[in-house]
Amino acid sequence: MIILEAQGYRLELAPERGGAVLRLDWHGEPLMRPACGSTIFDVGSFPLVPFSNRIAKGRFNTGARKGTIAPNFPGSDHPHPLHGFGWLTAWSVIEQDDNHALLEHTYPGGEWPWPYRARQTFELGAQGLTNRLSITNLGDAPMPAGLGFHPYFPRDAETVYRGLHRGEWYNTPDCLPSSLDEHEEAIDWWQGESVDTRAVDTAYTGREGMLEIDWPARGLGLTIAPSEELTTTVVFTPQGQDYFCVEPVSHATDAINRAPETLAWLEPGQTATVSMTLSARTLPPAA
């Protein structure tokens, strides 16, 4: 385990466990859900590379190359592989000091017919945690690529999430997109209500501005600043759970089949990079 500390922030990383964050605290208060078990779904956050969310039946055909990826949902027979390869493999530690770490994962090609190198950097400072994720095409042909982050956050009955997006995807029962509800202007789909008022597992498109979480009972808030490439946000609010997910990502579900132009197409040797910064804030006392 790697521990980084700076400016009241404390970050625990598990490189061998999907390059995951185990926990992120600010002055002892958890900002991400602390790791609560032994599976990858029990961590605080993990990287999404070289694609986000699901590919229908694992099948794709870009015209130049096609492939089939086997189901990879741990402990399930869910038919649509998801989240790429980085979250289910060990990452190597390239650099580490008191407030900075660099991790690396290399994929040689296979089911995903393009070799690549992925890197994550974590840096703590006065602004909070900045997590960068990059992918470099190590092959000899253009490669489609998607990137993102999958953080889990604590949740109680009063937790509020705010994010402005133009579109919300409706899904089939097995979480593939079926239709898009889109507005001319970006809106708060929760309309200021608590996370508990909507049970969703879907993608929101056309993000504008920051994402915010408030925990009024804790007097604590969190601002998430995704880089401009992360135009989409996947939100998962399972009923009856003490966590929820807000995932800044670069494309919607099954984009390689439905909207391949929304992916980054990297020439051999080319790199794409995304980032998110998480900044804690104190909430004013309730009136």
Side-chain angles (χ1 to χ4, degrees):
M1 185 174 64
I2 292 174
I3 297 176
L4 308 180
E5 295 186 87
Q7 302 290 322
Y9 292 91
R10 186 177 190 274
L11 178 68
E12 296 180 7
L13 303 174
E16 79 292 343
R17 193 172 170 182
V21 174
L22 295 183
R23 66 183 298 150
L24 172 65
D25 296 349
W26 183 58
H27 297 295
E29 288 287 337
L31 299 177
M32 291 179 179
R33 178 198 64 179
C36 56
S38 59
T39 77
I40 190 61
F41 295 122
D42 299 321
V43 301
S45 180
F46 55 78
L48 307 176
V49 58
F51 59 88
S52 161
N53 217 287
R54 293 160 175 82
I55 293 178
K57 303 293 187 182
R59 299 170 187 157
F60 58 90
N61 186 347
T62 67
R65 294 190 178 182
K66 62 182 179 179
T68 301
I69 302 173
N72 68 347
F73 197 112
S76 169
D77 60 357
H78 184 76
H80 313 304
L82 70 167
H83 299 336
F85 301 99
W87 68 309
L88 296 175
T89 191
W91 292 57
S92 301
V93 180
I94 306 301
E95 299 173 1
Q96 178 187 352
D97 58 27
D98 291 344
N99 67 338
H100 167 88
L102 169 61
L103 310 182
E104 183 176 281
H105 144 63
T106 301
Y107 181 78
E111 292 179 312
W112 184 257
W114 299 275
Y116 67 81
R117 179 178 63 245
R119 284 187 164 185
Q120 281 194 93
T121 61
F122 301 87
E123 187 168 354
L124 293 180
Q127 80 289 347
L129 167 65
T130 296
N131 188 184
R132 293 182 177 86
L133 176 64
S134 69
I135 183 170
T136 301
N137 181 2
L138 300 181
D140 57 3
M143 177 183 73
L147 298 169
F149 304 95
H150 196 303
Y152 293 77
F153 298 105
R155 167 184 174 186
D156 59 27
E158 299 179 9
T159 302
V160 174
Y161 157 69
R162 290 184 297 275
L164 299 180
H165 299 82
R166 289 195 298 275
E168 178 185 56
W169 276 101
Y170 297 131
N171 287 342
T172 62
D174 55 351
C175 290
L176 292 178
S178 58
S179 63
L180 179 65
D181 182 4
E182 195 164 27
H183 293 233
E184 290 186 3
E185 297 182 354
I187 66 169
D188 175 2
W189 292 80
W190 269 256
Q191 298 182 344
E193 298 294 327
S194 71
V195 170
D196 281 355
T197 59
R198 302 194 79 211
V200 300
D201 183 3
T202 194
Y204 293 84
T205 62
R207 176 184 60 82
E208 292 185 7
M210 311 289 191
L211 309 171
E212 293 185 328
I213 298 171
D214 287 352
W215 297 281
R218 302 166 63 197
L220 182 64
L222 179 70
T223 298
I224 307 168
S227 60
E228 63 180 11
E229 302 87 359
L230 301 176
T231 59
T232 300
T233 307
V234 175
V235 181
F236 178 40
T237 59
Q239 290 183 317
Q241 299 295 326
D242 62 357
Y243 69 87
F244 71 111
C245 300
V246 177
E247 308 161 32
V249 300
S250 63
H251 60 86
T253 304
D254 199 26
I256 195 169
N257 291 310
R258 297 167 181 266
E261 71 280 359
T262 63
L263 298 171
W265 284 83
L266 304 180
E267 295 296 327
Q270 189 176 5
T271 298
T273 303
V274 301
S275 67
M276 69 171 180
T277 297
L278 281 67
S279 305
R281 48 191 165 76
T282 301
L283 297 182

